[in-house]
């Protein structure tokens, strides 16, 4: 008789292993056997839990998004100002966990796969909307809706671009990535404050 809770543990181990395997290879060119081996389970059990590699990959993207959402919610709760909310989202985007080599490489592979896989494309759209909404929650009171929209778009593009550069091995260190996006935000806010009324 299976132990209570083992399915949840094994599913998490498989999604983690998929992210690691894809990140290590830098592409979706991994098999269920590769992933199952990393997770310490049989390929048959991996198929039992997820049905197919595509379903496991989709579950892995969901798991990454779930971790990112949890980290963002906790960071936003701790923020003490509107500007602090913006900084919290930037910090979470470049946290050690989110900006690790395997996770960044996996994100890049997921973006490539989204061109053919509508389920992954939908999940990445959820990520983009959530990032935008979180940035807007702090920026709108500071800059007004129109300027907040523009600043948030620029910050999101920088975050995504810095992930791509990290995946290619040309990106800055984590703290430098945070500083670049923070500088963009602060420069834009200073420009708004300096406008004549």
């Amino acid at each position: 008789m299976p132990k209570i809770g083992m399915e949840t543990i094994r599913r998490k181990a498989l999604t983690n292993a998929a992210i690691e395997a894809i990140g290590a290879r830098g592409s979706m060119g991994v098999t269920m056997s590769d992933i199952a081996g990393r997770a310490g389970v049989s390929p048959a059990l991996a198929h039992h839990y997820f049905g197919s590699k595509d379903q496991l990959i989709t579950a892995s993207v969901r798991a990454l998004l779930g971790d990112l959402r949890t980290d963002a919610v906790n960071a936003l709760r701790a923020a003490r100002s509107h500007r602090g909310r913006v900084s919290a989202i930037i910090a979470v985007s470049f946290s050690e966990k989110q900006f690790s080599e395997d996770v960044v490489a996996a994100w890049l592979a997921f973006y490539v796969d989204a061109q053919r896989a509508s389920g992954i494309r939908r999940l990445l759209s959820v990520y983009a909307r959530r990032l935008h909404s979180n940035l807007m929650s702090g920026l709108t009171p500071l800059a007004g809706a129109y300027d907040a929209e523009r600043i948030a778009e620029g910050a999101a593009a920088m975050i995504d671009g810095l992930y791509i550069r990290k995946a290619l091995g040309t990106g800055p260190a984590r703290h430098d990535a945070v500083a670049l996006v923070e500088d963009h935000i602060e420069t834009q806010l200073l420009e708004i404050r300096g406008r004549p009324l």
Side-chain angles (χ1 to χ4, degrees):
M1 187 163 194
K3 293 180 184 172
I4 294 173
M6 277 312 285
E7 181 176 348
T8 302
I9 292 167
R10 287 182 176 148
R11 282 178 172 274
K12 182 65 176 162
L14 282 162
T15 57
N16 287 345
I19 292 162
E20 288 170 16
I22 292 164
R25 180 157 299 207
S27 76
M28 296 296 186
V30 297
T31 65
M32 283 292 257
S33 293
D34 297 333
I35 295 167
R38 281 181 183 263
V41 302
S42 71
L45 194 60
H47 280 285
H48 170 73
Y49 286 136
F50 291 101
S52 69
K53 184 178 101 171
D54 282 349
Q55 289 172 313
L56 174 53
I57 299 304
T58 301
S60 299
V61 176
R62 273 198 189 96
L64 273 179
L65 286 173
D67 287 347
L68 184 59
R69 182 176 190 274
T70 298
D71 293 347
V73 166
N74 290 336
L76 288 170
R77 280 189 187 135
R80 305 207 177 271
S81 66
H82 296 300
R83 184 64 179 87
R85 290 178 69 82
V86 177
S87 291
I89 293 304
I90 295 167
V92 164
S93 296
F94 296 109
S95 69
E96 265 186 66
K97 179 170 59 172
Q98 295 298 331
F99 207 54
S100 69
E101 287 187 21
D102 282 350
V103 170
V104 168
W107 273 117
L108 188 60
F110 294 148
Y111 269 97
V112 171
D113 202 46
Q115 302 305 304
R116 67 155 196 92
S118 60
I120 292 177
R121 188 167 50 249
R122 275 192 302 276
L123 289 172
L124 294 175
S125 293
V126 168
Y127 155 74
R129 285 193 307 271
R130 199 177 283 160
L131 175 61
H132 182 76
S133 173
N134 285 334
L135 289 168
M136 290 292 287
S137 74
L139 287 168
T140 301
L142 298 171
Y146 175 80
D147 285 314
E149 183 81 32
R150 182 178 53 79
I151 297 168
E153 282 298 316
M158 287 185 76
I159 290 167
D160 289 346
L162 289 164
Y163 265 71
I164 291 168
R165 289 181 61 193
K166 168 87 169 179
L168 297 175
T170 60
R174 203 167 52 83
H175 63 278
D176 292 330
V178 170
L180 283 167
V181 181
E182 286 284 1
D183 184 60
H184 163 73
I185 300 282
E186 202 52 41
T187 300
Q188 296 298 313
L189 290 176
L190 281 170
E191 180 187 305
I192 290 164
R193 288 183 207 124
R195 284 181 195 160
L197 296 174

